[in-house]
Amino acid sequence: MIAKLKRCRNGWIKLTHLPAIVMVQLAIVATSASVTGVLLGMRQVGWLQPLELASYDLMVRLRPDQGVDPRLLLVTITEADIKAQKRWPLSDLTIATALKNLQQQQPSVIGLDLYRDLPQEPGTAALAKQLQQSNVIAITKVPDADDIGVKPPPSVPNERVGFNDIASDPDGVIRRGLLFVDTDATTLYAFSLRLAIAHLKQQGITPQAGRDTNHLRLGAAEFIPLEATTGAYQTVDAGGYQILLNYRARHKLARQVTLTQVLNGAIDPSWVKGKIVLIGTTARSAKDLFLTPYSAAEPQNPLMPGVVIHAQLVSQLLSAASNEISLFEYWADWVEMLWLGVWVLIGASLAWFVRHPLGLALAMLTTMTTLLATCYTLFLHQLWVPIALPVVGVLTVVMLVVSYRAQRAQRQQMMMMKLLGQNTSPEIATALWQSRDRLLKAGKLPGQRLTATMLFTDIRNFSVLSEQLLPEDLLEWLNEYLSAITEEVKANQGIINKFTGDGLLAVFGVPMNRRTPIEVSQDACLAVECALAMGDRLDQLNQDWQTRNQPLAQMRVGIFTGPIVAGSLGGKERLEYAVIGDSVNIASRLESYEKHRQTETCRILIAQETLVHLQNKFVVEPWGLLALKGKQQMVDVYRVLGRARASKD
C-alpha cells in the first residue's frame, strides 16, 4: 500500500493509508523516544544514580586486580602495635624513631598519615627534627562548616603538607579521589598528590598545565576533573578537583610491614630504598576505615583503611603519569543519549516482532548479555558508560510494548468475537487468532473472495409449533434446539454466521482463505457431516420432548459450495461479519425448496457444486435440474440420504 498525502480544509497535509509496517515502525520509534526521554529526565534528577554506582562497583569487583605496586611500601599501625606502645595517639618519640629508621634505608618519599598538630610527649623535639627532612609529607584536614579542621605539624612548610580528606558518595562509598581544594587563602594539595609529585620529581616529571590551562598534567596523563554529571554521576558534590579513583587491588596493593617491625629494624632495606612509604593506621579502634566498591563482596571485612585508599590514589597517579594505565574516560552527554536510545529501540523492536514468549525471553537474554558484556569490555578499557540506564530502558520498553500488545490482542479478540460470534470451533478460533494481524485491518475484517460451503437450516412448520406453547416456553424449547445444532456446527469446524429465528446460517471455510481443492472438499464434507449430525441430534431431542409432552420437530437443511465475499459489514456503531454472494442465496433456496416434500426428520438438499467435493463419502438421491425460486438458471439438486458404508470403515 502506498502512503498518500491528503490536504485538509485547514490547509494542513496529513498522511493517510500508511502501510501497516510503517505504522508499526513509527509506533516503535515513538515509544522508544518516549521511554528514552522519561529515563533521561529520571537520570537528570539522580533517581538512577544508585543503580549506576552499584553497577560500577560490580564491574570493579569483577575485573582482575593489577597486582602489587612495587613502588609503594605501607607501614601499618595495627591493634597489636597500639597495645605494644600502650597508648593512643602514639608518642612523638615512637613516630620519630620510625621515621629515623626508615630514612636510613633511603626511601624516595615518606608520607605520614597521622595528625601531629599537638605535641604528644615525649619526643616532640625529635619528631620535629625528622619532619624537617625534605622527603617527608605531613597531613592536614581541610576545615568546613562542621569543624575547624586539623592543622599540619608546626614548622612543616606548605609544599610538604597535603590534606587527607576523602570524598565519599551519597551511599558512603569511596569512588573519587580529591586532588585539590581551594580555600579563601590558597589552593591545598591532596596528601596522595604531594607524594606522587615528590616521587615523580626525582624522575624529571613535574606538574604542568594541560590542554586546558586549568587542568593538571603529570607526565603522559592529563587529569580532567569530574563534574556533577560526569559518567553516571548526577547529584554528586564535584567541588574541588576530583578524579575517579581507579582501584589497583582489593587486598594486596603494596608490600605491608607493621610499625613494630620498623621500630625493631626487622625489614629488608630493599623494601624501602627508592620507594614511597606511607605510614598510617589500620587498627579498627582508630576508626579510619571506609566503604569501597569491594565492600559488598567482603562481608567479614568490608572496610578499607584510609592510608590504603591514599595509596590506591598514589598508585593511580604514578601509573597514569608513566602511561602504564590510562585514566577513566567518559562519553559526552549526547553520546550517552544516543547509547540509551539505540538500546531502547532494540528492546522495543524485539518486544514487537518476537511474539512467542520463549523466543522473546531468549531474545531478551541475548540482548542483556550483549549489553552487559559490551559495558564490561569498555570498562576494562577504562571507559565508563551508563549500564543501569540502558538496562532499565530495555526492560521498561519491553514491558510497555508487551502490555500494549496484550491490550491490543484483547481488543482484537473482542473485535473478532463481535464480528464472528462465539459459536466457532476451537480449531477455527485458534486459526483466527493466529492470523489476527493479517485479518484485522483498522478494526475490520476487509472483504475477501473465498470459496466456502454454506449451510442453511430451518424448522418445518414453526408457526404451527409456536401456537402450541406459551412464549416463554417456546423460547426455552427453541434455545434447547439451537444449542444442540450449534454444538454440531462447532464440532465440525464451522462458523455460525447468524441465527434466523428458528434456524441459522453456518459457513465452512471462512474467514481463512481455503484455496486448494483438498481444503474446499474438506469444508464441503464437514458441512454435510454436520447436517447429518444435526438430524441425529434432533431425533434425540424429539424422544426427550415426547416424554415431556412437548412438540416434536422436523428440520430442513440446504447446502451449497461456491464463491462468496466475506468481511465486515456496517458502520462504526454496528458491525457484523457477513457473507455475500449468489452461493448464499442458492443455499437458502435449497433449504426452502418444496417444503412439502419431506418425510424424514431432517431433509438435506445439496447441489452438484457440493456433490463434486464429497468424494463418494455420502449416499445421495438425485432430484434433477430444478428451478429454484428467484433463480433463472437451473440447479442440479440432490438429497443426502446418509453416510456411505465405506466412510464408516
Side-chain angles (χ1 to χ4, degrees):
M1 185 183 295
I2 300 175
K4 298 179 180 179
L5 290 174
K6 182 178 180 181
R7 184 173 297 277
C8 303
R9 292 182 179 179
N10 57 12
W12 291 95
I13 296 177
K14 66 178 182 180
L15 285 171
T16 61
H17 304 298
L18 284 173
I21 186 62
V22 175
M23 297 297 294
V24 169
Q25 292 171 347
L26 290 176
I28 291 174
V29 171
T31 304
S32 301
S34 300
V35 171
T36 300
V38 170
L39 288 178
L40 289 174
M42 294 173 60
R43 179 189 183 218
Q44 188 171 3
V45 298
W47 291 357
L48 296 177
Q49 180 174 289
L51 290 177
E52 290 289 2
L53 295 181
S55 302
Y56 170 84
D57 294 349
L58 178 60
M59 291 189 292
V60 170
R61 294 193 297 269
L62 289 176
R63 70 177 180 178
D65 289 347
Q66 299 166 19
V68 174
D69 192 333
R71 298 164 296 194
L72 305 180
L73 175 67
L74 291 177
V75 177
T76 61
I77 303 173
T78 65
E79 295 287 359
D81 295 323
I82 295 175
K83 290 180 180 179
Q85 297 300 316
K86 299 181 180 180
R87 63 176 292 180
W88 183 260
L90 299 177
S91 69
D92 289 342
L93 180 60
T94 299
I95 302 302
T97 303
L99 290 174
K100 180 179 179 181
N101 290 350
L102 289 169
Q103 291 286 13
Q104 293 174 355
Q105 311 302 330
Q106 301 178 356
S108 169
V109 60
I110 298 176
L112 183 62
D113 188 25
L114 295 172
Y115 293 123
R116 286 290 133 173
D117 57 324
L118 299 175
Q120 300 291 333
E121 294 289 357
T124 302
L127 177 59
K129 180 179 179 180
Q130 292 298 323
L131 291 176
Q132 294 301 315
Q133 300 292 325
S134 62
N135 64 342
V136 177
I137 307 297
I139 62 169
T140 183
K141 179 174 175 56
V142 180
D144 56 28
D146 298 328
D147 59 55
I148 60 175
V150 178
K151 293 182 178 180
S155 71
V156 177
N158 289 335
E159 62 269 17
R160 289 195 291 108
V161 174
F163 62 83
N164 71 338
D165 298 71
I166 294 177
S168 63
D169 285 340
D171 56 0
V173 177
I174 309 303
R175 302 183 183 90
R176 292 169 288 135
L178 189 58
L179 300 185
F180 298 100
V181 170
D182 290 326
T183 65
D184 295 337
T186 185
T187 297
L188 302 179
Y189 283 61
F191 175 58
S192 304
L193 180 59
R194 286 291 191 193
L195 291 172
I197 290 175
H199 181 77
L200 292 171
K201 184 177 180 181
Q202 301 173 26
Q203 303 174 13
I205 299 175
T206 58
Q208 304 290 331
R211 287 169 293 183
D212 186 322
T213 56
N214 294 321
H215 292 174
L216 168 67
R217 172 176 285 277
L218 283 176
E222 180 175 347
F223 298 87
I224 300 176
L226 290 174
E227 298 179 357
T229 59
T230 296
Y233 285 118
Q234 294 297 322
T235 60
V236 71
D237 180 6
Y241 196 112
Q242 303 179 32
I243 63 172
L244 195 65
L245 180 52
N246 189 7
Y247 286 85
R248 184 183 184 93
R250 68 190 71 198
H251 296 303
K252 297 182 179 180
L253 166 68
R255 187 189 300 277
Q256 293 189 21
V257 296
T258 65
L259 177 65
T260 300
Q261 288 176 293
V262 174
L263 294 174
N264 295 336
I267 60 175
D268 189 327
S270 64
W271 297 353
V272 181
K273 186 175 182 179
K275 304 295 193 296
I276 300 175
V277 181
L278 290 91
I279 304 174
T281 178
T282 59
R284 288 185 176 274
S285 59
K287 298 181 180 179
D288 187 27
L289 301 169
F290 301 88
L291 292 171
T292 70
Y294 301 112
S295 298
E298 302 285 342
Q300 301 300 323
N301 189 23
L303 303 178
M304 182 176 290
V307 66
V308 178
I309 292 178
H310 293 309
Q312 298 274 8
L313 184 53
V314 172
S315 178
Q316 177 182 353
L317 295 173
L318 297 179
S319 298
S322 59
N323 203 25
E324 296 176 10
I325 302 174
S326 61
L327 296 168
F328 271 108
E329 296 182 1
Y330 323 93
W331 279 338
D333 288 342
W334 70 269
V335 180
E336 293 185 350
M337 293 179 187
L338 182 61
W339 168 258
L340 171 62
V342 168
W343 284 108
V344 170
L345 186 62
I346 291 173
S349 301
L350 290 176
W352 184 266
F353 291 110
V354 182
R355 297 304 180 92
H356 195 282
L358 179 59
L360 180 58
L362 291 175
M364 285 297 299
L365 178 61
T366 302
T367 301
M368 287 299 180
T369 302
T370 303
L371 170 58
L372 297 177
T374 302
C375 292
Y376 181 62
T377 301
L378 294 175
F379 189 80
L380 292 179
H381 290 80
Q382 305 299 99
L383 180 61
W384 185 24
V385 302
I387 179 172
L389 187 65
V391 167
V392 173
V394 171
L395 294 177
T396 301
V397 77
V398 167
M399 288 189 292
L400 287 176
V401 173
V402 170
S403 299
Y404 170 75
R405 276 176 41 197
Q407 185 180 17
R408 180 173 178 266
Q410 186 178 21
R411 291 199 306 267
Q412 288 179 332
Q413 187 177 27
M414 293 175 60
M415 177 62 68
M416 295 190 75
M417 290 302 100
K418 180 180 178 181
L419 290 174
L420 301 174
Q422 300 182 7
N423 297 309
T424 61
S425 67
E427 295 83 1
I428 293 295
T430 300
L432 291 175
W433 190 238
Q434 291 175 348
S435 304
R436 62 188 182 276
D437 290 332
R438 179 173 58 83
L439 295 174
L440 276 175
K441 295 180 181 178
K444 295 182 179 181
L445 286 168
Q448 55 179 337
R449 186 176 179 85
L450 305 169
T451 298
T453 299
M454 275 59 62
L455 182 151
F456 267 96
T457 71
D458 198 10
I459 296 177
R460 183 184 183 191
N461 295 327
F462 179 71
S463 299
V464 177
L465 293 174
S466 62
E467 295 177 356
Q468 303 176 25
L469 297 172
L470 295 174
E472 55 270 21
D473 294 334
L474 176 63
L475 181 61
E476 182 178 352
W477 181 89
L478 186 59
N479 281 333
E480 191 174 356
Y481 162 76
L482 292 175
S483 176
I485 63 174
T486 296
E487 291 176 2
E488 297 304 329
V489 173
K490 294 169 62 177
N492 288 278
Q493 303 178 27
I495 290 179
I496 296 180
N497 181 253
K498 66 178 65 176
F499 289 99
T500 58
D502 58 326
L504 56 80
L505 166 60
V507 188
F508 298 78
V510 295
M512 311 301 292
N513 197 344
R514 310 281 280 173
R515 299 178 181 275
T516 67
I518 295 177
E519 291 174 332
V520 175
S521 296
Q522 289 174 348
D523 296 333
C525 291
L526 287 171
V528 175
E529 180 62 38
C530 178
L532 291 171
M534 287 178 177
D536 296 337
R537 290 294 296 273
L538 185 55
D539 286 334
Q540 297 173 9
L541 287 174
N542 281 331
Q543 293 177 7
D544 182 54
W545 287 335
Q546 188 173 17
T547 60
R548 291 186 281 157
N549 295 321
Q550 292 190 2
L552 307 183
Q554 290 179 301
M555 64 184 296
R556 297 183 302 272
V557 177
I559 299 174
F560 187 83
T561 303
I564 60 167
V565 174
S568 299
L569 184 65
K572 293 182 179 180
E573 300 299 326
R574 181 178 176 83
L575 278 176
E576 66 176 24
Y577 184 69
V579 288
I580 301 173
D582 191 51
S583 300
V584 181
N585 297 330
I586 295 176
S588 175
R589 298 294 185 263
L590 286 170
E591 175 272 315
S592 61
Y593 180 75
E594 295 192 4
K595 300 179 180 180
H596 62 281
R597 294 181 61 180
Q598 179 175 358
T599 57
E600 64 273 44
T601 302
C602 178
R603 189 194 74 177
I604 306 170
L605 295 184
I606 65 174
Q608 174 67 27
E609 286 78 359
T610 299
L611 180 65
V612 297
H613 297 292
L614 299 184
Q615 304 171 353
N616 298 320
K617 293 183 178 181
F618 303 94
V619 179
V620 298
E621 174 188 77
W623 277 24
L625 290 172
L626 302 177
L628 301 181
K629 184 178 179 181
K631 300 294 298 179
Q632 296 181 354
Q633 296 183 349
M634 305 287 282
V635 178
D636 196 1
V637 179
Y638 297 83
R639 181 168 72 97
V640 178
L641 302 179
R643 303 172 182 87
R645 291 184 178 274
S647 64
K648 298 181 181 180
D649 296 335

